[in-house]
Amino acid sequence: MSEPPTSRPPTRVAATPADKPAEKSAVRQPPDKRGLFERLVEFLSPGPDSTDELMATLADAEQRELIAPESRVMLEGVLRMAEMSAGDVMVAAPRMDLLDIDAPYDELLASVIETGHSRFPAYEGQRDNVIGILMAKDLLKLQRSPDLSLRTLLRPAVFVPESKGLNELLRDFRANRNHLAMVIDEFGNTAGLITIEDVLEEIVGEIEDEFDEDATAAENGIYTLADGSHRVAGDTDISAVNEVFGTSLPEEDFDTIGGLIAHELGHVPRRGEAAEAGGLQFQVMLTRGGAVRWFKVARQPPAAQDAD
């Protein structure tokens, strides 16, 4: 006779040592709550692999109204700034406005009024020998105390190499509560200067003041300065420049004075650069987005015009 089937559960086989580590290494993954469409989009459209692709992504986001145009401009400015150095945006040494520490008070005051800056590198002997930074407002202290030594009003000058990144420089400006730094080249010579405003304008664009608003209000974009020179907007029509200055600059190939000067220089103008055209000297004061915002324009001396 055969035995009746047993009701006991089958005996479990003990796990081998090789099986135990596999059980311990198993980690429960959280469920992927994304839909099939979202996962498919991520698979077909991976993230940007370069700065140019990221720029294109930002432009696309603006077109789809995901971000405002102002936000895109600032984000692009941050990306560009991360790849720039102090040497890229500095005011070159020949274009710097400096004060001679041994100059008479009236001469110093006239220089401050003419240029309109709030901070000036002060030098002794040669222009390359910067000994400190003078605040324009500190000159008022000499009016109340004429016997006060100007040297005691100087603040320490900060020196940075040309290769210093703008993002790192901005961090230093904020940490040290400093607004101006002298830029030196690889040989230790003064290459130029840079301000915190120069760095910020790479992100937010030109920072205009009340004077800029007055110039913008001019019908032809040309504003007369106290020293007899002029401030001319880069997008001013060449015809307007010819009318105001009595010149005969060519109007056939270019519409704006900024386009003409860029052609004369042969590259995108940088702040501090100068070019001559039609008996006028055009010095770049401010740039934005690769275009000149403002020129300082003065007539060339007669000897220089004859030499041309």
Side-chain angles (χ1 to χ4, degrees):
M1 283 182 67
S2 60
E3 296 182 359
T6 177
S7 60
R8 290 181 303 173
T11 305
R12 293 184 178 180
V13 179
T16 62
D19 295 331
K20 292 183 179 180
E23 293 180 357
K24 292 182 180 180
S25 63
V27 178
R28 184 184 297 271
Q29 298 292 338
D32 191 348
K33 297 182 179 180
R34 295 175 301 167
L36 176 61
F37 178 76
E38 294 175 334
R39 284 180 285 178
L40 181 61
V41 168
E42 181 178 348
F43 176 77
L44 296 177
S45 303
D49 295 325
S50 65
T51 302
D52 292 338
E53 290 186 8
L54 183 54
M55 294 279 196
T57 301
L58 292 174
D60 179 66
E62 178 191 353
Q63 293 179 356
R64 293 189 290 158
E65 299 183 352
L66 298 178
I67 59 175
E70 296 80 4
S71 300
R72 179 185 64 82
V73 171
M74 291 183 63
L75 290 172
E76 290 182 352
V78 171
L79 295 174
R80 284 192 298 267
M81 188 189 72
E83 300 177 352
M84 301 176 70
S85 64
D88 294 327
V89 299
M90 70 179 183
V91 177
R95 315 293 185 199
M96 293 190 308
D97 294 319
L98 300 165
L99 298 180
D100 186 352
I101 192 64
D102 295 321
Y105 173 78
D106 292 340
E107 183 178 332
L108 295 175
L109 184 60
S111 298
V112 171
I113 294 175
E114 178 183 357
T115 56
H117 303 313
S118 59
R119 295 170 176 81
F120 294 84
Y123 70 93
E124 183 177 22
Q126 299 179 349
R127 286 173 57 93
D128 197 53
N129 183 31
V130 176
I131 60 175
I133 306 298
L134 178 65
M135 301 286 291
K137 64 180 182 181
D138 288 342
L139 283 177
L140 299 177
K141 299 178 181 178
L142 292 180
Q143 290 184 336
R144 302 183 61 180
S145 304
D147 298 333
L148 186 64
S149 173
L150 186 62
R151 295 175 184 269
T152 62
L153 301 177
L154 294 180
R155 310 192 181 199
V158 176
F159 296 87
V160 300
E162 282 184 292
S163 59
K164 192 177 186 67
L166 290 191
N167 51 356
E168 183 181 358
L169 182 59
L170 179 58
R171 186 165 54 248
D172 291 347
F173 275 149
R174 295 179 58 192
N176 302 325
R177 301 180 65 183
N178 185 39
H179 287 205
L180 184 149
M182 305 301 301
V183 184
I184 58 176
D185 60 20
E186 58 182 322
F187 303 105
N189 301 319
T190 300
L193 65 81
I194 187 171
T195 67
I196 190 172
E197 181 175 323
D198 296 327
V199 180
L200 292 176
E201 285 182 344
E202 295 298 324
I203 302 176
V204 301
E206 177 191 346
I207 302 175
E208 298 182 346
D209 53 21
E210 298 85 354
F211 184 80
D212 297 321
E213 294 175 358
D214 293 340
T216 304
E219 293 182 1
N220 55 11
I222 302 175
Y223 191 88
T224 303
L225 303 179
D227 61 356
S229 63
H230 295 77
R231 192 171 189 175
V232 180
D235 58 358
T236 300
D237 291 341
I238 297 179
S239 59
V241 175
N242 286 332
E243 180 180 353
V244 172
F245 293 96
T247 55
S248 55
L249 297 172
E251 303 178 20
E252 296 80 12
D253 298 330
F254 303 95
D255 295 327
T256 66
I257 191 62
L260 175 62
I261 298 304
H263 175 73
E264 293 293 329
L265 290 173
H267 58 267
V268 177
R270 292 175 54 184
R271 182 175 179 178
E273 285 190 305
E276 289 77 29
L280 302 174
Q281 183 184 57
F282 294 83
Q283 181 178 351
V284 180
M285 300 180 68
L286 290 171
T287 62
R288 172 187 289 173
V292 176
R293 183 69 178 87
W294 292 109
F295 289 105
K296 183 176 182 180
V297 182
R299 296 187 182 276
Q300 291 182 277
Q305 296 186 34
D306 295 340
D308 295 341

